[in-house]
Amino acid sequence: MHEIALVQDLMDTAVQEVGRAGLTGRIVRLKLSVGRLSCASSEALRFAFDVLSPGTCAEGASLEIDEVDGLCRCRACGSTRPSSDLLASCAECGSPDIVLEGGRDLVLTSIDVEDS
Amino acid sequence: MEIIVAKKILNANDQIAQANRARFDASRVLAVNLLGSPGAGKTTLLEAVLPGLAKTRKIAVVEGDLATSRDAERIEAIGVPSMQINTAGGCHLDANMVSRAIGTFELDSLDLVVIENVGNLVCTAGFDLGEHLRVVVLSVTEGDDKIEKYPPMFQKADALVLSKMDLLPHTNFQVERMRENLQRLSSQARLFPLSVQTGDGIDAFVDWLESAMRRDRRDR
């Protein structure tokens, strides 16, 4: 539901960054890294982008989404591995005492701007 | 031409949340974000615990709902000042809404601000409001599988209030199953099974809030 607000924020940030770089061309590609624990759905982000981008300098741009896991750290044996399963046990020693770090962020990683 | 950005989206919310937290800290106010499904019993819990707390503590409540000022009126009716935010369709409160709402309070004169979020087990989990403590209310009638089905909501909880315990015999809710899942997900979270109808368990929750307020004052 709140993906609309997230994509608005994403587009505002993109326009700001293009201006800061002193560029004037159209945005042709946005790369986004989406944590699997961010509570944002890639499908809903794409839908929101299709709704919000027409009429802006990002109209027709491709949205590349890279979904990333968090890091699961076992407090019993110290092993780490990528995971987004909040209720998993440690794959090494089976302990349920795990901490899941990261995987919560939504990051605009890069913007491709058409050469003008 | 490619511009490398690496900018966090939602950063704006996080910055305002930090500013809210700094305002609470400067005024030595404990801020609690109260979360849970619609009908879990969030407002009813406040009606049960705030009158007692208000005898010795100055409290204000921020109420978030899509529409109506019904909850704010319920809180005003027990003599606690409240501010209603209508999100007009928005599924969560964000830090900016809370920032505007607390601007209407005299923060320096308060001990506790409770922010009752929009009833929602999903979206509200992702937005820091600047609170010190997250309290999630889950009623036994919602089922004991909610932690497994909506883990982000419970992962950052400091306390889980298990409400409507008087109805437990009429449900298949297994408290132990839920307790184990909570332990795995959020080992620091305190569990408070209670019933507003019978009054059972209310005191333990009030004591926890009281000690959080005392700790809060010592730390600053």
Side-chain angles (χ1 to χ4, degrees), chain B residues 143-164:
Chain B
D144 56 20
D145 57 357
K146 290 300 165 290
I147 292 183
E148 291 150 276
K149 290 168 84 171
Y150 300 89
M153 171 56 64
F154 299 92
Q155 193 195 15
K156 286 184 276 179
D158 295 289
L160 175 60
V161 170
L162 188 57
S163 65
K164 309 187 191 178

Side-chain angles (χ1 to χ4, degrees), chain A residues 1-2 6 9-10 13 16-18 20-21 23 31 39 75 86-89 96 100 104-113 115, chain B residues 1-13 89-92 122-123 125-127 147-148 151-152 155-156 181 184-185 187:
Chain A
M1 183 65 187
H2 60 261
L6 295 176
D9 196 4
L10 164 77
T13 307
Q16 234 174 48
E17 291 298 319
V18 169
R20 207 207 300 261
L23 299 174
K31 284 192 191 169
C39 302
R75 283 199 282 217
L86 289 166
L87 288 163
S89 297
L100 205 52
R104 273 185 198 85
D105 291 334
L106 206 75
V107 181
L108 172 61
T109 48
S110 82
I111 310 167
D112 276 33
V113 181
D115 297 321
Chain B
M1 174 186 249
E2 187 176 14
I3 314 171
I4 305 299
V5 186
K7 265 213 153 166
K8 258 209 237 178
I9 305 302
L10 265 189
N11 212 13
N13 183 76
C91 49
H92 57 267
V122 186
C123 309
F127 290 79
I147 292 183
E148 291 150 276
Q155 193 195 15
K156 286 184 276 179
N181 281 324
R184 289 174 77 173
L185 194 60
S187 50

Side-chain angles (χ1 to χ4, degrees), chain A residues 39-79:
Chain A
C39 302
S41 128
S42 297
E43 199 185 338
L45 289 171
R46 285 185 196 288
F47 174 72
F49 187 72
D50 289 347
V51 170
L52 295 172
S53 58
T56 72
C57 63
E59 178 167 357
S62 70
L63 192 61
E64 277 186 21
I65 297 179
D66 184 24
E67 290 189 10
V68 296
D69 275 319
L71 188 71
C72 171
R73 186 165 56 80
C74 175
R75 283 199 282 217
C77 75
S79 70

